[in-house]
Amino acid sequence: MGYKVVVVGATGNVGREMLNILDERAFPIEEIAVLASRRSLGTEVSFGDRTLKTQDLAAFDFTGWDIALFAVGSEATKEYAPKAASQGCVVIDNSSLYRMDPDVPLVVPEVNADAVMGYTKKNIIANPNCSTAQMVVALKPLHDRARIKRVVVSTYQSVSGTGKDAIDELWNQTKGMYVPGQEVEPSVYPRQIAFNVIPHIDVFMEDGGTKEEWKMMVETKKILDPAIKLTATCVRVPVFVGHAESINIEFEEFLDEDEARDILREAPGILVIDKREPGGYVTPVECVGDYATFISRIRQDGTVENGLNLWCVSDNLRKGAALNAVQIAEVLGQKALKKG
């Protein structure tokens, strides 16, 4: 017995990773369908040792299918996710559309796996923002021990979080810096991304923050604890894959850095690499293709009462998107559907 699974947006970066991870983790599949927009119709994608042809999302009937992993933008999700859900297929959505819907659970399995059971209200489960997902994996075990009051986070987010066009822009701009006549003007980003950092992800809001920063705040409250205060500065950096975060945490109780290190070492989904020597930490280059959220640079912050600093790195296409979605599907199967 296995599940009938649909991957929506199978030709994109996240959709392809979903297929890779379903195969790697030997998710119990009876049948699989890969969907894309009409312009990508017939494109071939890999699933293990098989090659699958994409079908038309607009014409697809979700009746009889168990789980649909959505890796398309909010507009397409708004049109097709309710259709899939109404036809009895549970949607696990990677877009931002349903994250703050009170009738849709927002889930990171290492943090709030039990929330999956709330899917019955709309037949939809939301995947959090990539930068939120890796951060709450790190915060959860520490919060359980000493209760977090406030978080200050600065992110260093790779271009793959934007999509394939952004990857191409970084690649072509970098080449263009060295080859006269091949210079590339910014089009995906408002400023040059090659050899630069851009303190702007998503749209600006009235308070001067960006929507990405707002997402980190509200999603953390929904997933982990509404009492946590969080402020974020989200920055795009010239890295292809892998998000990094500098996280400053203020607790209600004192938490020693050594105890924090031990807690994180035992926590699900985390690998601690924290040697106080050159190279004794993880950078985005090393995290690519890995399931883990890596924690380094754990140290006391003496400028506030009960403060701690840490460095958090993860593959944004995996834990930040595709892996988390597949983990949700695994939990859904174990707790509710029970076919595999």
Side-chain angles (χ1 to χ4, degrees), residues 112-247:
N112 65 337
D114 289 344
V116 159
M117 297 309 289
Y119 82 93
T120 53
K121 291 180 180 174
K122 285 193 172 177
N123 240 19
I124 298 171
I125 302 167
N127 215 19
N129 188 41
C130 47
S131 48
T132 305
Q134 69 186 67
M135 180 180 67
V136 295
V137 169
L139 295 181
K140 165 69 172 169
L142 302 177
H143 184 58
D144 287 348
R145 161 61 182 82
R147 296 206 65 77
I148 294 169
K149 285 170 61 178
R150 181 171 183 257
V151 176
V152 181
V153 56
S154 298
T155 72
Y156 308 79
Q157 295 178 227
S158 67
V159 296
S160 57
T162 307
K164 185 181 180 300
D165 289 346
I167 293 172
D168 291 343
E169 181 155 299
L170 172 57
W171 174 253
N172 292 325
Q173 274 184 0
T174 303
K175 282 195 303 181
M177 301 289 282
Y178 295 100
V179 184
Q182 288 191 22
E183 297 84 359
V184 175
E185 289 298 312
S187 61
V188 175
Y189 295 115
R191 300 274 189 180
Q192 174 186 309
I193 185 62
F195 303 99
N196 200 12
V197 296
I198 303 172
H200 168 203
I201 300 178
D202 213 326
V203 297
F204 276 94
M205 303 180 77
E206 282 187 13
D207 66 356
T210 64
K211 195 169 183 186
E212 186 84 355
E213 293 155 359
W214 174 82
K215 287 176 197 170
M216 291 194 77
M217 176 186 68
V218 295
E219 290 177 19
T220 299
K221 287 175 178 288
K222 182 171 178 178
I223 296 165
L224 189 54
D225 189 333
I228 293 174
K229 295 179 179 178
L230 184 142
T231 182
T233 301
C234 293
V235 182
R236 193 69 71 186
V237 297
V239 170
F240 287 113
V241 179
H243 287 358
E245 297 171 345
S246 169
I247 307 174

Side-chain angles (χ1 to χ4, degrees), residues 7 22 36 51 70 90 96 106 140 148 151 164 176 194 203 271 317 339:
V7 176
L22 286 166
T51 300
F70 268 66
V90 182
S96 61
L106 181 65
K140 165 69 172 169
I148 294 169
V151 176
K164 185 181 180 300
V203 297
L271 269 178
L317 297 178
K339 284 175 79 174

